[in-house]
Structures are given as structure tokens and as C-alpha cells.
Amino acid sequence: MAFLSKSASAAVTGNSTGGGYLSLSKLPDGGSVRFALLTDEPLEFYECWGAANGANKPFRFDFEPTYEDVVAEMGEFEPREGRGGPGTADTKFAIACPVYNYESGKVQVLQITQKSILKEIDQISQMEDYSDLLEWDFTISKKGSGLLTEYTVRPVPRKKGSQEHIDAAWIEAKSEGFDITRLLSGGNPFKAA
């Protein structure tokens, strides 16, 4: 039996379950998170970051933008330089989808830019046993840090008795106006501006 409660342990380890976003990069080395997908159609987009006056901000596009597109959209923000050097922007393909995070007991947005995670989820989705991704839970574990970070994705059976909580949380989020497409305009997917 653990000495600390789950909530106390999360507070001590600084796990990333607070707020409306499930941030995999904030998982501690050796940490993991369990969640249920709430849709099998993620929002697909390209993302790049800009900086201005000490502030960083993501910019998202529903198409693969050129450097000129990025500069035009960012306005006063300066794009992060891409691997191609000056005149390029660090643009990454990403997906975002609503998930039920077991630790927080809430609907959160899971955004994924890491190619290794995207490949693993895609491979799992193509296996006949996992044809309905909404019937399974998933765990993502993190090992290492910085450039040596490795993520592992595993499908696991749905926690017994959890479907009612998952459904209730998703119905509540949708009734409060959840719309993941607001990410594309820099808005909050949990509420209209």
C-alpha cells in the first residue's frame, strides 16, 4: 500500500494533470499516464511557436504552412527557427483529441507532436483486436529526458466500472461547449471566447 494518496503523490511529483491539457512532456522520468480516448477522429494540424516580448505562443494551421504563411499569421511574433536555418520555421505536424484522464477524473486535451507516439497509436489502430479505440484505455510512459526521451504507448483493458464516469465527464464537457477546433484559432476548446 502506498504511503501517499494518489493526489498527494501527484502534487509531490509535479505530474501534468492540472488544467485542461494533458502534457506528456511534463511527465517525470519513469512516469506514466492512463487515459481513454473520447473520439477516434483527432484534430490534425501543423504547429509552430512564436516569441514576442518574452512571451511564447503556439500558432496552428489546418494545412502545411510555408515560411511566408507563418510570418503573416504571427504578426509581431518571431517564429522559432527551423532546422533549415534562417528563413525557415520550426513547424511540426500534430494531433489533438479529447481524452478522459483517470488521474484527474476530467476531460482534457491531449496534443501529440512526438512522431514515435503517433506511429505507435497508428500501429495499434490498425490491429484488428483494437479496431474500436474507444473501447480501450491507453497508457503512455516516459523514460529519459531531453533528446534521450523515449515514450511507450500501450493499450490496456478499460478499467472496470469506469465507463459511466467517462461518459458523464464527456457529456458535461460537450454540454459546456467543448469544441476542439478552437485550437486552430488560438481559442480555448473548453469554452467560447
Side-chain angles (χ1 to χ4, degrees):
M1 185 167 105
F3 178 67
L4 296 176
S5 68
K6 285 185 181 182
S7 60
S9 177
V12 170
T13 60
N15 208 339
S16 59
T17 60
Y21 297 87
L22 175 57
S23 177
L24 299 176
S25 64
K26 293 183 181 176
L27 283 172
D29 184 11
S32 67
V33 64
R34 183 177 184 143
F35 61 90
L37 293 170
L38 298 174
T39 180
D40 56 3
E41 294 181 14
L43 177 66
E44 298 178 355
F45 55 95
Y46 290 85
E47 178 181 76
C48 56
W49 284 78
N53 302 320
N56 293 308
K57 179 180 174 182
F59 291 84
R60 298 178 180 102
F61 301 83
D62 60 359
F63 60 92
E64 188 169 8
T66 65
Y67 180 72
E68 291 74 23
D69 294 330
V70 170
V71 170
E73 181 66 25
M74 286 192 176
E76 67 182 35
F77 283 80
E78 187 71 29
R80 223 181 256 171
E81 189 174 290
R83 294 178 193 224
T88 65
D90 183 19
T91 305
K92 294 181 180 180
F93 176 77
I95 66 163
C97 58
V99 298
Y100 176 80
N101 181 334
Y102 279 96
E103 190 170 329
S104 69
K106 295 180 181 179
V107 171
Q108 294 184 316
V109 172
L110 173 62
Q111 180 175 317
I112 304 171
T113 58
Q114 299 91 339
K115 287 181 182 179
S116 63
I117 297 173
L118 292 170
K119 286 178 185 177
E120 282 194 61
I121 292 174
D122 188 48
Q123 287 173 351
I124 292 166
S125 74
Q126 295 177 43
M127 297 173 152
E128 187 176 331
D129 291 341
Y130 304 109
S131 61
D132 188 351
L133 296 177
L134 304 183
E135 293 180 358
W136 295 87
D137 290 344
F138 292 85
T139 62
I140 296 182
S141 304
K142 178 182 176 182
K143 180 180 175 186
S145 63
L147 295 175
L148 301 176
T149 302
E150 293 180 20
Y151 293 97
T152 305
V153 180
R154 295 287 180 259
V156 293
R158 174 70 31 96
K159 272 190 176 184
K160 290 183 181 179
S162 65
Q163 191 63 52
E164 185 178 315
H165 300 288
I166 294 168
D167 292 343
W170 186 220
I171 288 168
E172 179 182 354
K174 290 191 293 187
S175 71
E176 291 176 356
F178 182 89
D179 181 358
I180 199 151
T181 62
R182 287 192 199 110
L183 286 174
L184 293 174
S185 61
N188 182 342
F190 292 92
K191 59 183 173 186

